[in-house]
Amino acid sequence: MSNPPVVFIAGERQHAGKTVTSLGVISAISKIIDPKDIGYFKPVGQEMVTLPNGEKIDKDVMIVNEFTGIDMPDMGLLSPVRVISGVTRDFIQSDNPRAITERFEKSVHRTLEALSDKKLIIAEGTGHPGVGSVVGMSNARVANLLGAKILYLVGGGLGRPLDELEVDMSYFYHNNSRVLGFLFNKVLADKVDMMKEVLTEPALARLFPEWSPKLKVFGYMPQIKYLNNPSMHLISKSFKGHRALKCGKCANAWHVPCRKVKIISQGNNVFDPSTSLRPRDIALIGAGSHRRLKRIVEFNNSLPGEKLGGVILTCSSAKMPDAETMELMANSCLPTIAVMQDTADTDLTLYKCFTNTKLQLYDRIKHELIVKLFEEHFDAERFIHSFGL
């Protein structure tokens, strides 16, 4: 049996939106193709989760299984190459690294054969185009192994995305990879029309005349507010030894994407939360700040719609936060954690969290936004026709 066509989703960097695109494309084409006829797998994975049977697989496989209606009976098979700690070192120190690469290749082919009854397979890449090359499994190399056409994610804007395309398209061309076309992603809402007018397929053909067939554009995806922002639940996982001041009334609030981090440094005599904080903001404040915390809670209770994202109490200890603070926050319905780090170190951790957020298994609200985004801005019909389906 011949293998079905494969689309390989690649991007210019980590966190370019490959998993979001996988979910969006699957949701969009499911309206044209029976979901049972769509396959998905992550050929090379780096971020692992553990299945109930103890097997470790890439997290993105779990995400796609959670949110889509496609048939994924053996998730372990859908994460064939797992680049976990020690794999790169063992490869470099091996007397026969080629044998390791060949073993990886065989695993990928086994997965491809297992999905041979599908009409179309979505294969999700990892990081930028060259990621995995250290073990002979770069995105370009894997796409070629699969005989795939590449759907390449490009950031919004003009100058920077085109500069990145110049490098990445040269890499794909050097490796004789087949790029089907582009999806412009995370475009500022007020820039979408401009990009549609300037970055047209004829313009891209002039910029990349060496490509045949000509490169296609399948959509200009506006940036979704808060889609890449972390929730307090996810943020809490970034702090070792933190204490969560939970209360049953605010369970859902722990999973709401937050907006910004606001360091509360004003003294009690001048601090006014109404001028410092907005809905979904995280208030970063010392664990012993009773009067200012009380104002934050009162302000949060006064908000008519969306509430604050949460509170992080810094410099906590065995005695702080004290019983008074614990009671105040437990009754506030505000997600709150106490961390031992000072404000500067906490802010640095939060910065890393905000710039490296991936979709989580519980992010159903985000998934609904992704489905709507692709319904409105992705050319699913043209995409399907590009594979002769």
Side-chain angles (χ1 to χ4, degrees), residues 134-250:
V134 68
V135 294
M137 298 293 286
S138 72
N139 284 277
R141 169 70 176 152
V142 173
N144 291 351
L145 280 174
L146 299 172
K149 294 179 180 179
I150 295 170
L151 175 64
Y152 190 70
L153 305 183
V154 190
L158 293 177
R160 180 180 173 183
L162 290 177
D163 290 344
E164 291 171 342
L165 272 177
E166 178 65 27
V167 174
D168 293 345
M169 294 300 286
S170 297
Y171 182 80
F172 285 131
Y173 192 78
H174 172 75
N175 282 279
N176 297 312
S177 301
R178 296 191 299 166
V179 178
L180 174 65
F182 305 132
L183 191 63
F184 291 97
N185 193 33
K186 302 181 183 179
V187 182
L188 294 176
D190 59 354
K191 301 292 184 183
V192 172
D193 290 339
M194 180 271 291
M195 288 194 68
K196 287 182 178 179
E197 181 180 337
V198 176
L199 290 181
T200 61
E201 289 183 354
L204 291 166
R206 291 192 296 272
L207 290 167
F208 303 104
E210 67 275 19
W211 287 89
S212 179
K214 299 299 182 184
L215 299 164
K216 298 179 175 65
V217 176
F218 295 99
Y220 303 82
M221 318 300 284
Q223 190 175 59
I224 300 179
K225 196 174 184 180
Y226 306 128
L227 184 63
N228 298 104
N229 289 20
S231 64
M232 279 293 290
H233 177 75
L234 181 60
I235 287 169
S236 69
K237 295 180 179 297
S238 299
F239 292 94
K240 293 182 179 179
H242 76 276
R243 283 186 287 163
L245 283 62
K246 293 187 178 181
C247 127
K249 293 185 295 184
C250 62

Side-chain angles (χ1 to χ4, degrees), residues 50-69:
T50 304
L51 295 175
N53 65 3
E55 185 176 11
K56 293 184 182 296
I57 65 168
D58 189 87
K59 178 181 177 182
D60 294 332
V61 175
M62 290 280 285
I63 294 282
V64 173
N65 179 68
E66 180 73 17
F67 291 124
T68 69

Side-chain angles (χ1 to χ4, degrees), residues 121-373:
I121 297 172
I122 308 295
E124 182 182 332
T126 300
H128 62 71
V131 167
S133 60
V134 68
V135 294
M137 298 293 286
S138 72
N139 284 277
R141 169 70 176 152
V142 173
N144 291 351
L145 280 174
L146 299 172
K149 294 179 180 179
I150 295 170
L151 175 64
Y152 190 70
L153 305 183
V154 190
L158 293 177
R160 180 180 173 183
L162 290 177
D163 290 344
E164 291 171 342
L165 272 177
E166 178 65 27
V167 174
D168 293 345
M169 294 300 286
S170 297
Y171 182 80
F172 285 131
Y173 192 78
H174 172 75
N175 282 279
N176 297 312
S177 301
R178 296 191 299 166
V179 178
L180 174 65
F182 305 132
L183 191 63
F184 291 97
N185 193 33
K186 302 181 183 179
V187 182
L188 294 176
D190 59 354
K191 301 292 184 183
V192 172
D193 290 339
M194 180 271 291
M195 288 194 68
K196 287 182 178 179
E197 181 180 337
V198 176
L199 290 181
T200 61
E201 289 183 354
L204 291 166
R206 291 192 296 272
L207 290 167
F208 303 104
E210 67 275 19
W211 287 89
S212 179
K214 299 299 182 184
L215 299 164
K216 298 179 175 65
V217 176
F218 295 99
Y220 303 82
M221 318 300 284
Q223 190 175 59
I224 300 179
K225 196 174 184 180
Y226 306 128
L227 184 63
N228 298 104
N229 289 20
S231 64
M232 279 293 290
H233 177 75
L234 181 60
I235 287 169
S236 69
K237 295 180 179 297
S238 299
F239 292 94
K240 293 182 179 179
H242 76 276
R243 283 186 287 163
L245 283 62
K246 293 187 178 181
C247 127
K249 293 185 295 184
C250 62
N252 292 334
W254 284 85
H255 300 298
V256 173
C258 298
R259 192 182 79 93
K260 289 184 177 181
V261 176
K262 299 293 184 67
I263 298 174
I264 309 302
S265 57
Q266 304 99 319
N268 179 65
N269 58 330
V270 295
F271 173 58
D272 181 0
S274 66
T275 61
S276 304
L277 298 169
R278 290 175 55 187
R280 296 196 189 220
D281 279 348
I282 296 171
L284 195 61
I285 188 169
S289 307
H290 295 110
R291 287 180 290 179
R292 286 179 296 168
L293 274 173
K294 187 175 180 180
R295 288 186 189 176
I296 291 171
V297 171
E298 291 172 348
F299 171 68
N300 185 62
N301 293 338
S302 72
L303 292 172
E306 288 187 330
K307 303 296 185 180
L308 296 177
V311 173
I312 298 180
L313 304 175
T314 61
C315 300
S316 71
S317 65
K319 296 181 179 180
M320 282 292 174
D322 59 16
E324 180 183 348
T325 300
M326 297 284 280
E327 183 179 1
L328 173 68
M329 302 315 296
N331 294 322
S332 70
C333 206
L334 255 175
T336 304
I337 62 172
V339 300
M340 293 180 287
Q341 293 92 327
D342 62 19
T343 298
D345 287 342
T346 301
D347 190 41
L348 179 60
T349 299
L350 289 169
Y351 173 78
K352 293 177 180 178
C353 188
F354 268 78
T355 54
N356 295 287
T357 298
K358 289 177 71 69
L359 202 66
Q360 304 298 309
L361 289 169
Y362 51 77
D363 283 333
R364 296 197 174 278
I365 295 174
K366 288 186 177 182
H367 180 247
E368 291 171 4
L369 294 173
I370 294 166
V371 170
K372 184 177 180 181
L373 176 72

